[in-house]
Amino acid sequence: MSDEVLVEFILNYGSWEAFSDLLKTLGTPKVAKIFKIQKAKKRTNLLPEIIYFFNLFFKKHAPEYIK
């Protein structure tokens, strides 16, 4: 399973614990980069409320990757 699929699935359907484990495994910068790429696509599977929440999260915790 690719990192992109894993990030998308955990952001949409995972628990906070799963998200925390994802950050420990891949690192905050990498997850932030993948999130930025996914949300910029014309068609994305990320839910609107997920985009809103994690946009705020990564602006605070990885601002250099979300510009």
Side-chain angles (χ1 to χ4, degrees):
M1 183 180 306
S2 71
D3 291 343
E4 291 79 14
V5 171
L6 191 60
V7 169
E8 180 183 306
F9 183 81
I10 290 176
L11 292 184
N12 272 331
Y13 308 110
S15 64
W16 187 255
E17 184 180 349
F19 175 67
S20 179
D21 290 342
L22 178 69
L23 292 180
K24 289 176 190 172
T25 304
L26 296 180
T28 303
K30 185 169 184 174
V31 176
K33 284 181 196 176
I34 293 170
F35 171 73
K36 180 180 178 182
I37 292 168
Q38 287 181 345
K39 76 173 186 151
K41 291 181 180 178
K42 190 171 184 176
R43 287 187 54 163
T44 181
N45 290 328
L46 293 171
L47 303 170
E49 57 270 17
I50 297 299
I51 292 173
Y52 179 77
F53 176 81
F54 284 107
N55 203 38
L56 294 175
F57 178 88
F58 288 123
K59 277 186 181 178
K60 180 173 175 131
H61 297 284
E64 62 276 8
Y65 298 99
I66 295 298
K67 294 177 184 174

